[in-house]
Amino acid sequence: EVQLLESGGNLVQPGGSLRLSCAASGFTFSSYAMSWVRQAPGKGLEWVSSISPSGETTYYADSVKGRFTISRDNSKNTLYLQVNSLRVDDTAVFFCAKASGTYRGNDYWGQGTLVTVSA
Amino acid sequence: DIQMTQSPSSVSASVGDRVTITCRASQDISSWLAWYQQKPGKAPKFLIHVASNLQSGVPSRFSGSGSGTDFTLTISNLQPEDFGTYYCQEANSFPLFTFGPGTKVDVK
């Protein structure tokens, strides 16, 4: 059974940093691209970042470029998102999502981890 | 960047009704469109890929169509468990992608 379990969300002050983690199991982690998607309270889904299966290629939304860094450790089956220079409007639930591999889409999602940015 | 729009933003329907949601891309994305269902407090669920193909386990009352810039998600014979918010996702440059703003479906 595919499982994705995010952690690392917390209350942080503006300008602060966090490292989000997503522990994966039930599939060959190193074979799939992975993504982070966030959802601000009461708002829609926003793609944040993606990473290739090997980790060599990364992609970022303009809204987070230069502040967030995606990475993965295929030996630990874990995806990461380092979030720096946090702003109040970064407050959101952050989901990790697995790429389908066969089709262009995200077939499995974690339950999300909440990042709250407030003074 | 590709922009996505959806209409309507919300719809209320009765059990047994047919519900149609439209998604439009700002440029041609061929058939690279997916649909998701999200219930409050839950992660999105992958429903349809490549515009019209049901993900495994998704009931056949869900269907998708379209290509280019205009796409449709149809729920025929609406069931109580179909409430939630539906998002389209353009996947033309996957794993970069953009979601539509969502359509909330309330079951009367």
Side-chain angles (χ1 to χ4, degrees):
Chain A
E1 179 191 4
V2 171
Q3 290 193 336
L4 299 169
L5 184 62
E6 301 96 334
S7 61
N10 210 333
L11 171 63
V12 61
Q13 292 186 336
S17 299
L18 286 172
R19 188 174 83 155
L20 308 183
S21 300
C22 171
S25 61
F27 65 102
T28 305
F29 181 70
S30 60
S31 295
Y32 295 92
M34 297 292 295
S35 299
W36 287 97
V37 174
R38 68 182 178 181
Q39 187 168 38
K43 302 298 184 182
L45 301 171
E46 179 189 15
W47 170 71
V48 171
S49 182
S50 297
I51 188 167
S52 64
S54 67
E56 288 185 359
T57 307
T58 58
Y59 312 85
Y60 297 95
D62 287 344
S63 59
V64 307
K65 204 171 293 183
R67 299 189 300 124
F68 291 8
T69 303
I70 192 171
S71 62
R72 65 192 296 162
D73 186 335
N74 286 344
S75 69
K76 295 183 178 179
N77 291 345
T78 303
L79 174 72
Y80 301 101
L81 186 69
Q82 178 69 39
V83 296
N84 297 332
S85 303
L86 282 164
R87 311 187 295 224
V88 171
D89 63 358
D90 290 319
T91 295
V93 173
F94 283 72
F95 297 99
C96 67
K98 170 188 168 292
S100 165
T102 304
Y103 308 109
R104 296 187 188 183
N106 304 98
D107 55 358
Y108 290 94
W109 297 64
Q111 85 292 345
T113 188
L114 176 61
V115 173
T116 303
V117 185
S118 174
Chain B
D1 293 359
I2 299 174
Q3 307 301 317
M4 306 298 292
T5 58
Q6 285 183 236
S7 62
S9 57
S10 65
V11 58
S12 292
S14 299
V15 172
D17 283 354
R18 180 186 181 96
V19 172
T20 299
I21 299 168
T22 298
C23 176
R24 177 165 290 173
S26 60
Q27 64 188 68
D28 189 339
I29 58 170
S30 184
S31 295
W32 298 120
L33 187 99
W35 289 97
Y36 297 81
Q37 175 196 65
Q38 187 183 33
K39 298 195 174 184
K42 301 296 186 181
K45 176 184 177 182
F46 191 32
L47 292 179
I48 288 174
H49 49 81
V50 200
S52 61
N53 297 275
L54 259 62
Q55 179 69 352
S56 176
V58 174
S60 58
R61 62 181 179 272
F62 290 89
S63 63
S65 65
S67 66
T69 60
D70 295 317
F71 302 87
T72 299
L73 171 70
T74 300
I75 312 169
S76 59
N77 189 22
L78 190 72
Q79 296 299 300
E81 61 267 29
D82 297 335
F83 81 92
T85 302
Y86 291 82
Y87 295 92
C88 60
Q89 175 201 45
E90 67 81 15
N92 191 57
S93 302
F94 196 84
L96 287 79
F97 47 87
T98 304
F99 291 99
T103 296
K104 185 175 182 180
V105 176
D106 290 318
V107 181
K108 287 181 182 176

